[in-house]
Structure formats: C-alpha cells, structure tokens
Amino acid sequence: MRDDPAEAAYRRALALVTALVVLVGGLWAVLTPAFRAPDEPQHVNSVLRLAYGGGWPPAGEALVGPAVDAARDQAALATDVPGRHLDRDGIPAYVGVPPTPDAERGRVTGGNALADPLPPGTGTRHLATSAVDQMTQHPPLYYAVAAGVLHATGLAEARWDLQLLALRLFDVVLLAPLPLLAAAAVRRLSGSRAAALAAASFTLFVPQVGHILGSVTNDALVTLTGAATAYLCVRVLTGDLRTRTAAALGAAVGIGLLTKVMAAFALPVVVAAYLLASGPRGRRAAGALLAGGMAFVVGGWWWLRNLLVLGTVQPVGIPDRFPEAESRGLWYFLRTVVTSLTRSFFGNYGWLEVRLPDAVFWTAAVVVAALCALAVLRGPARRAAAVLLLQPAALWCGVLVNAWPDYAAHGWISAVQGRYLFAGLLALSAGVALGLLALLGPRLRRATPWVVAAAALAAASGLAHGFWGFYQGPGQSVSDAAARWAGWSPLTGPQLVLVGLVVVAGGIAAVVATARFARSASVDETATAPAASAPAAAAGSGSSA
C-alpha cells in the first residue's frame, strides 16, 4: 500500500489512540488502591512464590505468605471504600484509616515472601479464606513471567507497594497490543481505516478493562493471547493458510491455555475459521490440525494432565466459603448472572464493590449487542464477524454453565465476573467497528474523531467514578480525596498530577490526530482500499458501503 497522506495520518492516529489506551491503563494502575482488584493479593503472592523459588503447590495447598499478609493490613484492605454499593455492619471505613507512611511499608525479602508449608496430609479447609492462595488451580505461566519482571527490574526485594505498581504496569504493557491487533483485524476485513480506528478505541468505552488490566491478574495474559488468536483467525478467514500462520495461531492458543482455562473457548473459533476459509480443503484441514496440535503441545497438555491425574479439568483452589442457601429457581439464576456479568464487564471496580449506575452499563450492553448484530447481518465481512463473535459468546455461555452446578446444589452463585469475557475483547471491538461501518458507511470517516472523543470521555468518566468511589468520603471535597489518594500511593502528589496531565494530553492528541486523519482521507476508503476488498469477499460478503 502506497504511503499517501491519508495513510500517514492513519498511522499517527492509530499510534496515539493506542498510546491513550495504554495511558488510561497506567492511570488505573496508580489510581486503584493497593490490592483493591479481584484476587490481587493472591496473584501477587503467587508471583512472589515463584520469584523466591517456592514452586507451584497442588491446588488448595498454597498459602499466602507473611509479606503479602502484612501488606494487606498496611493497605487497609479490610475496610469499605466510600463508593461501595452496600455498607457492611462492623466494617471500618477506608477513609477513616490514615495512610501508612512510605517508610513504614514492609519490604519483601527471602525471609517473609514464602508461607510455611502445610504439614503432610493437612488441608486448607480449616483455614480462613484469606489465608489460602487459590491461584495454583491455574497453570503458572503468567506468574513465572511476572516473577521474571521483578528480577529484571531489581524489585524482587523491595517495598510491597513498589512491587505492586511494577506488576500492574507490566499488565498494562500486555494490554498495549490489543488496539493494534483490533485495528489490523478490522482493516483486513473491511478495508476501512476509520473502522480500524473505531476498533482500536473500543476498550476505552469499557472502564473495567483499564481497571482490571491495570491491576495484577493472569487475565492480562489471557486477554493478549485471546486477541492474538482472534487476529490470526481473521488472517485464516481471509485466505492466509500458510503453515507459519497455523503454527502461530496454535502457539497463541497454547500460551493462553498455559495461563487460564478461558483460552479453551477460542478453539471453536479456530475450527470455524478453517472450515469457512477459502482454499483447498486439504490445506484447511492441515492448518486446523497443525494449530490444534501446537496448542496442545504448548499448553493443552496441562488440562489433560489434570483430567488424568486429578479427575477434573480444573481443580478447586479454595474451600467452600458460602453458607448453604435455597435455590430460587432458574429465572432468578439467569437474571442474577446476566446482570452481574454485564455490570462487571463494563464497570464494577474494586472487589466488585464500586458499581457503575445500572442505566450506564445496560445502555452500553444494548449498544454493543446492536452493533455486533448489525455487523453480522449487514457488515462488510458478515461471515467473519459471526465467526469472531463465537469467542465472547462461548465465554459468556461458559460462565453461565460453570455457575449453575453450585447454584443448583448449594443455592449460591459464584465465579461470575465480566473479566472472564476479556479474552474476547478483540472480537467485540471488531463487531462494534464493523457495525458502525454498516450503519454509517463512508460517513464513518467524518465521525471517527467523535468516536475517539466519546471514547476518551467515557474513559475519563470511568476514572472519575473510580476516584470518587475509592477516595471521596461523605461530605468531603475533591481535594480531600486527592490528598488521601496521594497518601496511599507510592507516588507523590506532584507525580500523580503529572501522570494525570500526560493522560489528558494523550487524549487531546488522539482526538486531534483522528480529526486530521478524517480531513486527509478525502476519498472513500471503504470503496477504494486496494487489498482489503478481496479478503472481505473471502470472509463471506462484500462491502456494505
């Protein structure tokens, strides 16, 4: 493709939109109070265990080490933040606890990083839930890489809050390829630079993405491998049947499988991609077999080993912690699970305690669903869009199916969190962007700056809601909340101001760059893209504009 002014403007805009996604994730990393993200103490504990040679105990036998246990106390984790949806009796308020001074925060060393091993034959069922590290129910890849990050940065022995920030920023780095992969996938399917920029900005409309992927979590690596898998499936759908593409696709799935079982829900997408790709049947079959074999060799063996040795695909990592309750029927289950899953996908910060208003996340869900449906029904790559959207659909169904047995047997609903759908973020990004292209056609180019501006405002609103929910107590001013944030943060007040200003500047630059792109692309790119119309046709349809 020749490097014309519109192409150069597109590349600048994409680079700045990607930078904004990363900057927003970085701001979440310094905004969220220590350990106020799902299972973050246990994630950090498992990283430290590998960093200090503690191995990977069987599921249910790993304990939280003294360093993390003390850090939770110093971070006042056993308190309720002011924006919590429901205050709990007898639980102190986070805003009532003075921040622990930096000099008094504990340092992680070889003497306190590891928990004492359990005596042989002793289980964890009698221990408090907070004492158990359930992460060894997952494979160890993410934690091994994160442990390497601590050693590479010289932070293996450091204050716990500095380690926590470094690990959060490592997860933000894993987020960085997502907008680039989303843009590349959409452009390959549609030929539209404008739709590609819309896809790149999608995660900014989902504040929970920045919150979760700006924390310490193995979901960061699952999200990256899910995006890489979806992008490579787009290549397959558009005729790329090369051996190296199949090998890379299998490796992406395998790395995901060596991180978390959620990666398995990409397998139907891989199969569908090869079934529906254009090309000789033999080459398609060979590609599918190579991808599947590579996925098994890299990470699938872990789950087969669990099945053969433990008798289950994923062992239970934490004792039952809910009282027995009576089932309220199928309708209650569906209503509760769908609501919880939708809310915690778009914005349910902390330990699912600071909630976006119902009208916000339901409106967002309806818009995303409508645009994805439009992409499948009228978009420029209908068949490819349908294949990609199998990934989040399979994840969504998987969460429901996984939650049902406990509900039917014990009356409780657990393991329902929107972050489990993040492996399908690229598919949703593509679905929304292709839906916008079907809706607006050539007008999307002129609308792109407004889309990116709306994304930046949505990200800013999510951050503001998190700031209020975490730090601003009843009757307190914004300056009071800002002082509390600075008191708890490992960064100083001026450093936090500088971070905020950089994010604002990044948002302005991204909007300006997309506006310049819209002005420079004077020819309808959806009709003139030289290479993308053929892949789109191979994916199952022609352009809608």
Side-chain angles (χ1 to χ4, degrees), residues 34 38 57 102 107 179 184 277 318 350 353 453 465 532:
D102 290 359
R107 184 179 180 86
I318 196 167
E353 53 197 329
H465 190 73

Coordinates of all heavy atoms in Angstrom, one line a residue, residues 34 38 57 102 107 179 184 277 318 350 353 453 465 532:
A34 N -4.2 -0.2 46.8 CA -3.5 -1.4 46.8 C -4.4 -2.6 47.1 O -5.2 -2.6 48.1 CB -2.4 -1.3 47.9
P38 N -9.9 -7.7 41.9 CA -10.2 -9.1 42.3 C -9.0 -10.0 42.4 O -8.2 -10.1 41.5 CB -11.1 -9.5 41.1 CG -11.7 -8.3 40.6 CD -10.7 -7.2 40.8
P57 N 2.5 -25.4 44.4 CA 1.9 -26.4 45.1 C 0.6 -26.9 44.5 O 0.0 -26.2 43.6 CB 1.6 -25.8 46.5 CG 2.5 -24.6 46.5 CD 2.7 -24.1 45.1
D102 N 5.1 5.8 53.8 CA 6.0 5.0 52.9 C 7.1 4.3 53.7 O 7.4 3.1 53.4 CB 6.7 5.9 51.8 CG 5.7 6.5 50.8 OD1 4.5 6.1 50.9 OD2 6.1 7.2 49.9
R107 N 9.0 -4.4 53.5 CA 9.8 -4.8 52.4 C 9.8 -6.3 52.2 O 9.9 -7.1 53.2 CB 11.3 -4.3 52.7 CG 12.3 -4.6 51.6 CD 13.6 -4.1 52.0 NE 14.6 -4.3 50.9 CZ 14.8 -3.4 49.9 NH1 14.1 -2.3 49.8 NH2 15.7 -3.7 49.0
P179 N -5.2 -2.8 21.0 CA -5.8 -1.9 20.0 C -5.2 -2.0 18.6 O -5.8 -1.9 17.6 CB -5.6 -0.5 20.6 CG -4.5 -0.7 21.6 CD -4.7 -2.1 22.2
A184 N -5.8 -3.9 13.1 CA -5.4 -4.7 11.9 C -6.4 -5.6 11.5 O -6.6 -5.9 10.3 CB -4.1 -5.4 12.3
A277 N -12.8 -20.8 5.7 CA -11.8 -20.1 4.9 C -11.9 -20.6 3.5 O -12.3 -21.7 3.2 CB -10.4 -20.3 5.5
I318 N -9.9 -23.2 46.4 CA -10.2 -22.5 47.7 C -11.4 -23.3 48.3 O -12.3 -23.7 47.6 CB -10.6 -21.0 47.4 CG1 -10.5 -20.3 48.7 CG2 -11.9 -20.9 46.7 CD1 -10.5 -18.8 48.5
G350 N -12.9 -2.3 42.2 CA -12.5 -2.9 43.4 C -12.8 -4.4 43.4 O -12.7 -5.1 42.4
E353 N -17.2 -3.9 44.1 CA -17.9 -3.1 45.1 C -18.4 -1.7 44.7 O -19.3 -1.2 45.2 CB -17.1 -3.1 46.4 CG -15.7 -2.5 46.2 CD -14.7 -2.8 47.3 OE1 -15.2 -2.9 48.4 OE2 -13.5 -3.0 47.0
A453 N -13.3 10.8 20.5 CA -13.6 11.8 21.6 C -14.5 11.2 22.6 O -14.4 11.3 23.9 CB -14.1 13.1 21.0
H465 N -15.3 8.2 38.3 CA -16.2 7.4 39.1 C -15.3 6.5 40.1 O -15.7 6.4 41.2 CB -17.0 6.5 38.2 CG -18.1 5.8 39.0 ND1 -19.2 6.5 39.5 CD2 -18.3 4.5 39.4 CE1 -20.0 5.6 40.1 NE2 -19.5 4.4 40.0
A532 N -8.0 -4.8 0.7 CA -8.9 -5.4 1.7 C -10.2 -5.9 1.1 O -10.9 -6.7 1.8 CB -9.2 -4.3 2.8

